[in-house]
Structures are given as structure tokens and as C-alpha cells.
Amino acid sequence: MKKYVYAFDIGGTTVKIGLFNMDGLLVDKWEIKTDTTDNGKHIVNDIYQAISNADVSLSEVYGYGFGVPGPVVDNIVLTCVNLGWVNYDVEKEFSEYTDNHRIYVENDANVAALGEAFKGAAQFYASSAMITVGTGIGGGLIVDHKVVSGVNGAAGEIGHMKINFDDTGYQCNCGKTGCLETVTSATAIHRLCRQYLEETDHPSSLRNVDKPSAKLIFDEAKMGDEIGLQVVETVSKYLGFACHVLSVTTNPSIIVIGGGVSKSGSFFIDKIQHYFEQFSFAPVFDTKIVAAELGNDAGIYGAASLALQHD
Amino acid sequence: MKKYVYAFDIGGTTVKIGLFNMDGLLVDKWEIKTDTTDNGKHIVNDIYQAISNADVSLSEVYGYGFGVPGPVVDNIVLTCVNLGWVNYDVEKEFSEYTDNHRIYVENDANVAALGEAFKGAAQFYASSAMITVGTGIGGGLIVDHKVVSGVNGAAGEIGHMKINFDDTGYQCNCGKTGCLETVTSATAIHRLCRQYLEETDHPSSLRNVDKPSAKLIFDEAKMGDEIGLQVVETVSKYLGFACHVLSVTTNPSIIVIGGGVSKSGSFFIDKIQHYFEQFSFAPVFDTKIVAAELGNDAGIYGAASLALQHD
């Protein structure tokens, strides 16, 4: 009898493994190292070894969900710089180890959005979106409980929306300039802080810190630091614009903000909501903007949902 | 035996009626006047009278699809200024006349997008988008062959995306300023032309025309008129940006440009594609941007598809 699904959130340094029951409750979780040698060819085998050594018999497993850090179309990972994968067929590779063909693969930002829609901040809504502020900006769209992948696996890639029309702006990892990611990611938050510190001589506790993290900058802002507040205001404005854009495209019920800085709570979220309303027309004013609830587990919850929702 | 579906595209002045067979082929079409007196309460009855007087027996009709000029959620028209409808339950009203409960209602821009996806320019693609340049800017998103409506019926309302961060820009009908619609609609095209004529004294055949239509401005541009070209360039840039935004949200295979000016063909479409690529990151470069094929019939094709795709 099938009692469980396995969920894998594959990152550049670790693979998070989650064992869920058929109600989507997390039963067990652990991590293994991601072996990126030989273009990541050992990763899928390592995952199989990890679960075949676990207590649960694989004959009790209903299906497997994978989140991977790159675009995915029809279970094929198009490219995954961190892992060395190019046009990598995870389903086929994993099928070497099991007769169970319920194997589903999606982009990590998309599974995080699905995770929050499944058991997190967006769980009572059919349509939602998620923006995750990390080293980059992740994004995912859920419509009628399903991930929107896009023909190139680029759906939800709101981090690569240009936020201006000219060619000014910072260089983005994607090859273009002036993407949302260049002004709202953790890297950008750090740079904005440095810039604002240089532009004025306002007193700021951040002047005494060598490389303030995004979290520290937000914490100082919360305590009234003027430079920190300036950074939070800028980031909130751009994220408010991103929420506005989502509301005139898929018009979700709720937009979930994830990543470390989202833990600043209403201080940050209220500012994003403020700018969202400034940009948006009245019909979408009741769009909820909220902080993520599942933290780093969003990915495994989403991967579990992938495995459970296909029947 | 069920042989047909009826499709209705309700506008402020006429209702387009299409009779389709079960393969989605248009068998007959005609129009009736839209009676907007008494807050549009006669419209549904007028439609029923029109089809009950037609040759086809209503017992042969499989279902009914409606496109209406306002936001729709779960078959309820939230508001429809042109018709006088507020929270109007078309399904319930039409059910007064028939025992057939296959009655489906959607926003007109969304059914136009669905029409192009069903039998027009996007017919070979599961996911597409449409932007229609008319008095306003209409937009619709199709994901996996289905309309994305949005929780407020505002999905695809790309015309109300702000195209700048400050509060400059022209007043939009939606109450905000600086929406895409204010710089790309037929009205905006006319205004841009007047503005460029005033700003310079370049020779232009458009100087001799009292109120040049969007079509005339595009026709003159095509023949090399400098002011006309300037207008087309601006409009193309903003529409290219809109396509870029669609590609990082739902990432469709194909984006269909509709409305009178889309008949200018590759002259116009190529410019939009040029700007789209300038704004966008490499993974979405193969997004197709094409002119609409169904013209004013897109709405009835989409409404027919609504009625056919539910079983």
C-alpha cells in the first residue's frame, strides 16, 4: 500500500530530502551534500542511496517530486549551471532505480511557490504567486492549484523583468541590465546600502559594519536607522511594482514574499503593499501580500505536492 | 443530438452572434443591436429572441458562450459600464430561457485571446497571450488551452500596467496615471502623433489631416513619413515591453497582437519583436510575436471555444 511521497529540493550545496505522508504532512527530513563533480552525474544516485538506506520501504512510496535550480520543461532540466546539468532528464535517470514512474520535476522557485500554496501562506487560495528575495530573485506562479511552467520554463521569472526602459541599470547575471533582481536581491540590498552610505553623511550604525548582510540592514532599518530605512523603501517600491505586474497578468488572490528579509514581518510587507496599491488599479486592491511561512522547507513541500497532485 | 454551440460577443453597440458546429467551424454569424436602456436588462432576452427565431432548433445546441466587456469571475459579470451591468449573473438570466446549463461567460479580451488560440494565430500552441490595440488596450492569457481569469477577473489586464515609477504620465480611464494603455491605445497613438507634430517642424503628410486615425498614422509611417515612424517606434517599444513582461510571467509560446493597427503586418510586428528581444533574457528569445488572424470574429470563436471545452 502506498503511504508516502519523497520530495527533493536540490541546491548547489545540499539536497533537502522530505518524506511526506499521503495527507501532505512532513514525516521526516534530512539533507545530503550535493556532489557537483562530473557535471552532477552522481546526484540522482546519491539521492537514491539516501532513501534506500532509510527506514521506509520504497514499495510504500507513491511518487517522487524534485525541485531543481534551473528551468524545467516537461520534466527535463534545460540548464542548471550550479549542478552542471544541461538538458538533463531527471525522470529517466531516476527511473534507473525504480519501477515507480510517478516522478515529477520542476524549477525550485516554482516548487517553493507550490509549497506555500500547498501548506503555507497561500494554502487557502487556488491562485497565488511567490517572490523569494535571496542571492537572486526567485518567482513562481500558481493558477488553479497548478504551477505555471512556461514554454521555456521561464514562467514566474519576474526577477528578470526590466524595471526601466533605457539601458542604464546594473548588470544582471542573465546578461541584461536593469532587471528587478539587480535592485531587490540580497546582493542588491547590500549594494544599495553602500551607495546610500556614500551619497550622504547621515549618521548610521551601518557605517561601522564591514559587509552588512541584508538581514542586518533590515534589522537596523526596523530600529530606525535612516540609511537602512532608505534601502528598505527602495526595495519595497520595486517589489510593490513586481506585485502590481503580477496582479495585471495572472491576478492571483495572494502574493507570498519569501527569503530571509521576509521575516522582518509587517514592517516590510506593509511597505510593499503600500507601493502595490500606489501602482495598481482598484479592481485588484484586495490582493493579499504576505510573508512566507515555510522558510527553507517550502521547496520540499512543493515537491511533495507535485508528487501527490498527479494521479 | 447536439450539433452546435452559440457564441455571443456583447459590445456596447452590437452583439455579435456566431453559430458553430461541434468541430468549431463557423456556420453562420450575424449581429443585433445592444439595447443598453434600463441598465442593459433587455440584452439577454434580445439574444434569446434572436437565436430562437433562427433556423437551428435550440434542442440541437450543446452550449452557449458569452464574451462581455468587463471583468468576470465564475460566470458573474462584476461590472460593465458600457452595458449598465453590475454583479450581473448572465448564466442565471439566460437560464430563464433554456434548460441547457452549459452557459459560460468570460471577459471579451479573454475570449478574443481564446479565439485566436482556438482557430487563429495561436492555434497550435497550448499557451499564448493576446494584446489588442483598440480604443483601449485589451489583454488575455491562455495557459494549457484555458483562459486565466484571475481572482478579480483582472488577469491579462496588461493595459493597466504602469510603465513608469513616478506619478507622471497621462491620466488613464482606470483612475491611475501612466498605464500602458495611455501610450499605446488608438487614442494614445493619435495624441502621440499630435505631440510629435508640435515638437518639431519636420515635413509630414500628417500635418494636413485634421484628426488622423491610428490606421492612417501607421499607413503613412509605412510609406516613410518621419512623424508617423516616430509614433510607431514609441508604440512598438512599449508593446515590446509588455511582451517582455508576459514572457517573464506566464512565458507563453506566442503573443498575438490584435486590433486595426496589427494589420500593418511585419512592418509593425518586427519592431515589437526587436524591442521585446532588447528587453528580454535569452531563454525566452524564441517567443513568437505575430499579428492576429481572426479580426473582429476572435470574440465569437473564443466564446464558442468556451462552450465546447467544458464537458
Side-chain angles (χ1 to χ4, degrees), chain A residues 141 143 148-158 160-165 167 174 176 237-238 241 244-253 277-287, chain B residues 141 143 148-158 160-165 167 174 176 237-238 241 244-253 277-287:
Chain A
L141 299 178
V143 172
V148 181
S149 302
V151 67
N152 310 107
E157 283 282 5
I158 193 85
H160 297 292
M161 175 179 66
K162 273 188 87 113
I163 40 80
N164 52 20
F165 290 99
D167 278 333
C174 77
K176 292 286 174 173
K237 183 171 185 173
Y238 286 121
F241 185 74
H244 157 65
V245 166
L246 293 173
S247 77
V248 291
T249 46
T250 62
N251 181 212
S253 297
E277 288 178 17
Q278 186 176 305
F279 292 130
S280 301
F281 67 161
V284 301
F285 272 8
D286 62 357
T287 308
Chain B
L141 301 178
V143 172
V148 181
S149 300
V151 66
N152 310 107
E157 283 283 4
I158 192 86
H160 297 292
M161 176 179 64
K162 274 189 88 114
I163 41 78
N164 53 19
F165 290 99
D167 278 333
C174 77
K176 292 286 173 174
K237 183 170 186 175
Y238 286 120
F241 184 75
H244 157 63
V245 166
L246 294 172
S247 77
V248 290
T249 47
T250 62
N251 180 213
S253 296
E277 288 178 17
Q278 186 175 305
F279 291 129
S280 301
F281 67 161
V284 301
F285 273 7
D286 62 357
T287 307

Side-chain angles (χ1 to χ4, degrees), chain A residues 242-266:
Chain A
C243 292
H244 157 65
V245 166
L246 293 173
S247 77
V248 291
T249 46
T250 62
N251 181 212
S253 297
I254 184 166
I255 301 173
V256 180
I257 309 294
V261 292
S262 71
K263 292 174 191 152
S264 307
S266 63

Side-chain angles (χ1 to χ4, degrees), chain A residues 85-210:
Chain A
W85 289 355
V86 177
N87 291 322
Y88 194 78
D89 190 338
V90 176
E91 182 185 356
K92 182 167 157 250
E93 297 296 329
F94 197 74
S95 292
E96 304 271 317
Y97 307 105
T98 172
D99 292 335
N100 184 337
H101 294 299
R102 294 178 189 280
I103 300 166
Y104 304 98
V105 189
E106 252 301 341
N107 169 264
D108 56 0
N110 292 351
V111 292
L114 186 61
E116 291 287 343
F118 180 43
K119 295 286 180 183
Q123 67 180 296
F124 302 112
Y125 302 94
S127 294
S128 59
M130 184 170 182
I131 303 174
T132 303
V133 179
T135 317
I137 292 292
L141 299 178
I142 308 299
V143 172
D144 288 339
H145 303 285
K146 291 203 172 62
V147 168
V148 181
S149 302
V151 67
N152 310 107
E157 283 282 5
I158 193 85
H160 297 292
M161 175 179 66
K162 273 188 87 113
I163 40 80
N164 52 20
F165 290 99
D166 50 28
D167 278 333
T168 61
Y170 295 102
Q171 182 69 38
C172 185
N173 290 328
C174 77
K176 292 286 174 173
T177 54
C179 295
L180 180 72
E181 181 164 304
T182 68
V183 287
T184 55
S185 69
T187 321
I189 288 168
H190 175 67
R191 183 173 52 211
L192 277 169
C193 179
R194 213 174 49 210
Q195 180 191 330
Y196 292 156
L197 285 171
E198 282 168 11
E199 281 173 5
T200 70
D201 48 13
H202 284 306
S204 168
S205 55
L206 293 161
R207 292 197 186 278
N208 311 321
V209 189
D210 185 25

